[in-house]
Amino acid sequence: MTDRSRPDLDDDTVTALGTLSEALETVEQARGLLYGFHQLTGKADLLLQDAVQQFRDAGHTQLADDLERDLVGRNVIADRWTFQVVEDYDAHYWTTFRAFDQRARDEHAGGDRHVLEARMKQRERTAGHPRHEAGPALSD
């Protein structure tokens, strides 16, 4: 493994790579929230189906029928259930974002990830101090 702090790269390139990496990390967080939205919406629909049956069992058939017809299985946005929203996000945004991050790292940092953070670690660690090692492939 090479020195991931990449002293051969100029600071502006490292900063740009770091900002792109941070943007991708934010996209990853958004994606996680989107998957949470997907799972919570699915859970809500299953609970709604339970409520429909409970209203029906309690003799409130008109409300149960209306809920079942108008809300159970309803699209959350035009023509889509949440799994379709997640799939579109992954196919058209997340995948493209990751590809550009990979391209930038390949073209400017030999594929190395987190160069900005590696430089920060080099600056902030206490050389020779236990638990402040540079890294498995680096020596002090």
Side-chain angles (χ1 to χ4, degrees):
M1 180 177 273
T2 63
D3 181 350
R4 288 193 38 209
S5 69
R6 297 301 303 260
D8 58 311
L9 297 179
D10 65 277
D11 291 343
D12 291 341
T13 299
V14 171
T15 298
L17 288 167
T19 301
L20 181 59
S21 175
E22 184 178 5
L24 176 58
E25 290 170 6
T26 302
V27 165
E28 294 288 0
Q29 288 179 318
R31 183 173 181 255
L33 293 172
L34 186 58
Y35 272 82
F37 162 75
H38 163 60
Q39 291 178 343
L40 289 170
T41 301
K43 180 180 179 179
D45 191 72
L46 293 174
L47 288 169
L48 172 62
Q49 292 174 49
D50 290 344
V52 166
Q53 187 58 51
Q54 291 165 357
F55 278 120
R56 192 166 274 119
D57 292 346
H60 306 294
T61 56
Q62 185 61 56
L63 178 58
D65 290 346
D66 291 347
L67 284 167
E68 188 169 51
R69 179 191 64 244
D70 294 334
L71 197 53
V72 170
R74 184 182 184 104
N75 290 330
V76 297
I77 61 172
D79 304 326
R80 285 185 175 79
W81 272 20
T82 58
F83 78 90
Q84 293 165 310
V85 174
V86 168
E87 287 177 354
D88 282 353
Y89 185 87
D90 280 357
H92 300 290
Y93 189 72
W94 176 71
T95 301
T96 304
F97 211 116
R98 288 176 51 91
F100 272 108
D101 179 68
Q102 184 69 54
R103 176 183 166 188
R105 287 186 287 109
D106 288 347
E107 288 180 8
H108 299 288
D112 286 341
R113 298 176 63 202
H114 297 108
V115 175
L116 185 70
E117 290 87 342
R119 284 188 178 186
M120 189 183 309
K121 180 179 181 178
Q122 291 297 78
R123 278 194 316 271
E124 295 179 8
R125 70 187 190 90
T126 304
H129 190 68
R131 303 287 186 222
H132 285 242
E133 294 85 359
L138 303 176
S139 59
D140 290 327

